[in-house]
Amino acid sequence: MTNPAAPTTTKSNYWKANLSITFKILIIWFVVSFGCGILFKEELDQFSVGGAPLGFWMAQQGSIICFVVLLITYSFLMNKLDQKHGYDEEEG
Amino acid sequence: MEQTTWNFIFIGITFAVYIGIAIWSRAGSTKEYYTAGGSVSPFANGMATAADWMSAATFISMAGGIAAAGYGASKFLMGWTGGFVLLTTLMVPYLRKFGKATVPDFVGDRFYSNGARLVAVICAIFICMTYIMGQMRGVGIVFSRLFDIEIWMGVMIGGGIVFFYAGLGGMKGITYTQVAQYCVMVFAYTIPVIFISIIITGNVIPQLGLIGNYVKEGAEDSQPLLEKINQISVDLGFREYTAGTGNTLDLFCITAALMVGTAGLPHVIVRFFTVKSVKAVRKSAFWTLSFIAIIYLTAPALGMFARTNFIEEINEKKYQNAPEWFVNWENQGMIAWVDKNNDGIMQYRAGNVFTGKPTFNDTDRLENGPRLVTNEIDSSTNEVYYDKDIIVLANPEMAGLPKWVIALVMAGCVAAALSTAAGLLLVLSTSISHDLMKKIIKPDISDKQEIRYARIASFGALVIAAYFGINPPSSFVAKTVAFAFGLAASSFFPTLIMGIFSKRINKEGAIAGMISGIGFTLSYIIYFQFWTESKDYWMGISPEGIGFLGMIINFVVAFLVSAVTPPPPQEVQDMVEEIRIPKGSGEATHH
């Protein structure tokens, strides 16, 4: 932000952006685990990863890998957001 | 060298390291006792949290559970990792910014009520107590096998060690010991699997072996391993290894309850109070899940390899030619064979061999014959009983790995149990000394007295946990897992979320929500686990999954009650504003 806005609007803009990042992360979280691993498991099993049916693989491997990727993405996006609003800190 | 010598060497070295670290990093102030002075690096905290999180049950039993249930065990894999996404995005950054030492602290302050604080303290104590009993039992069992002593002696030794470094060292001592324990665990878990993966699939990386082909020596043509195990399973009368469970709703609810339960466990949340800033919390959460994922991604491979190995080595083989490990573990009482059709050949099939766990009659045992079982024999054609824990414990022997690997696995089991027990013990002692004594009963005690109370409380908690570790009330420990997660899912998770994301939820709403959520969940679990033998669940949702509905009830009740009662005071609303901004978190305090 180039023009320092009034503190309250900065706060509420920051909070809205924060909620939007959180929401997106949680949608992907839901889709890869509950979606691919449970609800649409049978449909996905028609495809395969190496020798494993895709739905099964998502439930036992794919979803966990996605969770790790989600957390590093969250950390990256939130740090960027903090910086943009001047809330960033030394990590310590 | 003898196996026992190797065991002594490995356990001896690891214990010396743990105690050395505990003395070097012992806590001097309440700040260090509760949150390690808020100065742990995100990377180290990640390792420590991973060790804290992975209990003896995860380490010993999870792979066996996967081997037995195949796809059905996915709920544990997704539930116990996916919870960290919720924990990271919805909880710990805000609670860290709030900057107090315990979870009941937040509940008490945010809902400006000692009543809410008290409910939170009781939940925290109950969750940790149920958990720690299982850990003490785990330590006892491992020690009794290792050194051929009674289980109670094993429990006492384990309890003594935990008290030494958790009670004395506080959070600081625990954190650095857990870092060492994680390192032991990760090597102990992955090294045997890598060897087995090479033998069965020719792949060094077990995760690639899982989706690879079966190439074990003598295999005729190569075929995907999962296809092979599906085929074997069906031939022996089991469900296909990768097939669905038939009850999607139940699987959904259990997975969800484990996830939200994970995000509501106080001993995991407080671990993130030990790092310096909100930024460090996010990074540390990423490291935590990465370290957990190394073991959780390996477990499905291990389960499948072990199942393949087990069937190949045992099924349709003469008992006289049974491998050495089979007889060893039979002597330990973890394996049993009943020759139902009197052909001298072991038939492994679907179904129970007999009712319950085996009880042996060794006086009539013939030389070179199997141990005789006195249980009521089941009519199924299955003749081979095995305790699922041997999937991890006997795995190195099944694959013919050297003796030091077996000792390493044992050291890993002990590390898993001790690290979790220590983390739980700390939350138990702080709940009593800080939340109960300092905040509710005797607000005027000094820093020094508070630590003394914490140490006394951890000693008391350990004595109770050790007692139940030695005398587990039947299968109580296994059933309490449903309790711990159900309670965390229906109490802490929704209450904390509403405390952070809503300014409108007031104390009336929060207390009513917690009480109705817990009330519903507990009555459902108690009814089905202890009251009746019936498995006629409502909508087919088992007690392990009911915490998810309890959570929804908590949310709904809290919103409705808050809507008809006055909003929280202005200073509480300001506080909520404040925790949403990451800057200026400072050190976690206890004042």
Side-chain angles (χ1 to χ4, degrees):
Chain A
M1 231 175 248
T2 40
N3 296 324
T8 40
T9 36
T10 312
K11 265 188 190 173
S12 78
N13 283 343
Y14 173 82
W15 185 242
K16 268 183 210 149
N18 178 352
L19 288 182
S20 141
I21 291 173
T22 307
F23 191 64
K24 282 173 196 152
I25 296 277
L26 290 182
I27 286 181
I28 302 174
W29 163 81
F30 185 86
V31 169
V32 297
S33 54
F34 292 98
C36 301
I38 298 178
L39 297 174
F40 297 104
K41 184 246 176 205
E42 303 295 333
E43 285 78 2
L44 290 179
D45 273 352
Q46 295 162 13
F47 309 98
S48 55
V49 186
L54 181 59
F56 171 83
W57 185 82
M58 279 307 290
Q60 302 214 332
Q61 302 266 300
S63 57
I64 301 176
I65 297 170
C66 291
F67 296 153
V68 175
V69 174
L70 280 178
L71 287 196
I72 192 133
T73 315
Y74 175 77
S75 176
F76 173 77
L77 291 176
M78 289 302 290
N79 288 347
K80 224 173 69 178
L81 186 72
D82 286 357
Q83 227 163 22
K84 189 175 151 194
H85 290 82
Y87 292 143
D88 57 320
E89 279 189 303
E90 284 298 304
E91 190 178 279
Chain B
M1 252 196 293
E2 286 282 305
Q3 182 64 53
T4 346
T5 322
W6 278 114
N7 292 346
F8 270 111
I9 294 175
F10 271 74
I11 300 286
I13 292 176
T14 51
F15 271 31
V17 170
Y18 304 155
I19 291 175
I21 293 174
I23 293 172
W24 163 72
S25 61
R26 67 188 177 281
S29 64
T30 46
K31 216 158 62 191
E32 284 188 342
Y33 195 92
Y34 293 147
T35 62
S39 59
V40 180
S41 84
F43 185 81
N45 186 54
M47 272 196 188
T49 314
D52 201 326
W53 174 233
M54 286 183 288
S55 62
T58 312
F59 193 90
I60 304 174
S61 309
M62 194 171 64
I66 299 170
Y71 169 77
S74 307
K75 58 195 177 205
F76 301 118
L77 291 163
M78 286 189 283
W80 287 333
T81 52
F84 279 88
V85 178
L86 293 174
L87 187 78
T88 312
T89 55
L90 302 176
M91 298 272 207
V92 284
Y94 308 106
L95 295 177
R96 174 65 189 84
K97 173 65 198 298
F98 175 68
K100 294 285 176 73
T102 70
V103 176
D105 251 347
F106 176 78
V107 176
D109 285 10
R110 165 61 183 84
F111 298 108
Y112 46 100
S113 143
N114 268 349
R117 193 190 303 270
L118 190 66
V119 176
V121 171
I122 293 169
C123 287
I125 292 176
F126 192 84
I127 292 170
C128 294
M129 210 60 218
T130 51
Y131 236 88
I132 201 172
M133 286 176 203
Q135 304 308 316
M136 296 317 293
R137 181 94 190 142
V139 176
I141 291 175
V142 172
F143 276 134
S144 77
R145 288 218 194 101
L146 272 178
F147 305 122
D148 218 11
I149 52 178
E150 295 289 320
I151 287 185
W152 69 265
M153 259 168 83
V155 172
M156 299 304 271
I157 298 174
I161 302 256
V162 171
F163 177 72
F164 185 77
Y165 72 78
L168 302 184
M171 188 54 125
K172 203 172 162 207
I174 289 175
T175 303
Y176 293 105
T177 334
Q178 281 171 335
V179 170
Q181 282 160 338
Y182 177 79
C183 298
V184 175
M185 283 165 71
V186 77
F187 284 114
Y189 206 82
T190 52
I191 287 177
V193 191
I194 291 172
F195 280 117
I196 295 166
S197 180
I198 295 172
I199 296 169
I200 294 189
T201 68
N203 230 318
V204 183
I205 300 169
Q207 288 77 11
L208 294 179
L210 178 78
I211 57 172
N213 285 356
Y214 180 77
V215 297
K216 195 174 180 179
E217 229 177 306
E220 281 155 22
D221 43 8
S222 79
Q223 167 190 26
L225 181 55
L226 274 167
E227 209 171 277
K228 183 183 163 69
I229 191 120
N230 271 343
Q231 200 185 318
I232 298 177
S233 302
V234 173
D235 287 348
L236 299 183
F238 296 95
R239 166 207 307 281
E240 266 192 18
Y241 190 78
T242 60
T245 55
N247 190 345
T248 308
L249 177 67
D250 192 32
L251 190 66
F252 187 98
C253 287
I254 296 179
T255 310
L258 293 179
M259 283 194 189
V260 294
T262 300
L265 286 178
H267 72 286
V268 179
I269 295 175
V270 296
R271 288 240 39 109
F272 291 94
F273 297 170
T274 62
V275 297
K276 239 181 189 150
S277 64
V278 173
K279 194 174 170 186
V281 167
R282 297 178 193 135
K283 197 167 170 190
S284 189
F286 158 72
W287 282 119
T288 302
L289 189 60
S290 306
F291 291 129
I292 293 173
I294 293 174
I295 288 183
Y296 272 67
L297 288 173
T298 308
L302 170 59
M304 196 178 64
F305 297 157
R307 182 174 167 122
T308 317
N309 251 346
F310 187 82
I311 296 175
E312 295 265 298
E313 301 249 328
I314 297 306
N315 189 33
E316 302 297 343
K317 296 276 157 62
K318 277 204 155 125
Y319 179 79
Q320 303 302 332
N321 306 334
E324 200 189 330
W325 60 263
F326 188 89
V327 184
N328 284 345
W329 289 92
E330 184 185 12
N331 290 335
Q332 294 270 5
M334 306 277 279
I335 289 182
W337 172 58
V338 181
D339 196 2
K340 290 182 183 170
N341 53 4
N342 292 315
D343 60 357
I345 296 172
M346 301 184 282
Q347 271 97 17
Y348 176 59
R349 297 287 182 275
N352 290 328
V353 184
F354 38 68
T355 354
K357 297 212 166 215
T359 46
F360 297 100
N361 163 17
D362 285 331
T363 45
D364 298 333
R365 186 181 183 181
L366 300 173
E367 205 174 329
N368 297 325
R371 290 179 80 179
L372 302 174
V373 172
T374 57
N375 300 52
E376 191 185 329
I377 306 297
D378 196 277
S379 60
S380 78
T381 50
N382 184 20
E383 299 184 343
V384 182
Y385 163 90
Y386 71 95
D387 188 313
K388 66 185 168 76
D389 290 355
I390 64 163
I391 293 293
V392 168
L393 296 175
N395 196 30
E397 294 163 75
M398 280 190 218
L401 301 181
K403 284 176 179 151
W404 65 266
V405 178
I406 301 169
L408 179 63
V409 170
M410 291 297 177
C413 293
V414 176
L418 292 183
S419 58
T420 308
L424 290 164
L425 197 61
L426 188 84
V427 173
L428 271 171
S429 65
T430 50
S431 289
I432 293 168
S433 70
H434 180 73
D435 299 317
L436 207 59
M437 295 305 294
K438 172 96 180 171
K439 286 300 174 87
I440 299 178
I441 299 175
K442 270 175 133 180
D444 55 342
I445 52 175
S446 71
D447 224 42
K448 270 217 169 104
Q449 283 172 310
E450 201 181 323
I451 292 200
R452 194 174 314 134
Y453 276 118
R455 286 183 175 141
I456 295 170
S458 64
F459 184 75
L462 204 57
V463 169
I464 300 172
Y467 175 80
F468 284 109
I470 296 166
N471 310 301
S474 67
S475 54
F476 180 72
V477 173
K479 287 177 178 176
T480 48
V481 172
F483 261 118
F485 279 89
L487 209 59
S490 61
S491 62
F492 283 131
F493 180 78
T495 306
L496 294 176
I497 294 278
M498 289 183 293
I500 295 162
F501 288 87
S502 162
K503 279 188 271 186
R504 184 62 184 79
I505 299 293
N506 56 19
K507 77 172 173 199
E508 291 85 356
I511 296 174
M514 276 201 276
I515 289 176
S516 47
I518 300 166
F520 168 78
T521 309
L522 280 192
S523 9
Y524 192 87
I525 295 176
I526 291 172
Y527 180 74
F528 280 109
Q529 298 267 32
F530 297 98
W531 199 264
T532 160
E533 293 287 297
S534 140
K535 293 211 184 282
D536 192 13
Y537 303 137
W538 184 72
M539 306 247 315
I541 299 171
S542 45
E544 287 82 6
I546 204 65
F548 179 60
L549 289 190
M551 174 200 83
I552 295 174
I553 291 177
N554 185 334
F555 273 125
V556 172
V557 171
F559 271 103
L560 292 180
V561 173
S562 296
V564 295
T565 40
Q570 191 56 41
E571 64 266 23
V572 170
Q573 299 194 27
D574 290 345
M575 182 195 102
V576 176
E577 284 277 332
E578 197 47 43
I579 61 168
R580 292 176 177 182
I581 304 300
K583 201 177 169 83
S585 49
E587 282 178 3
T589 62
H590 65 286
H591 292 296

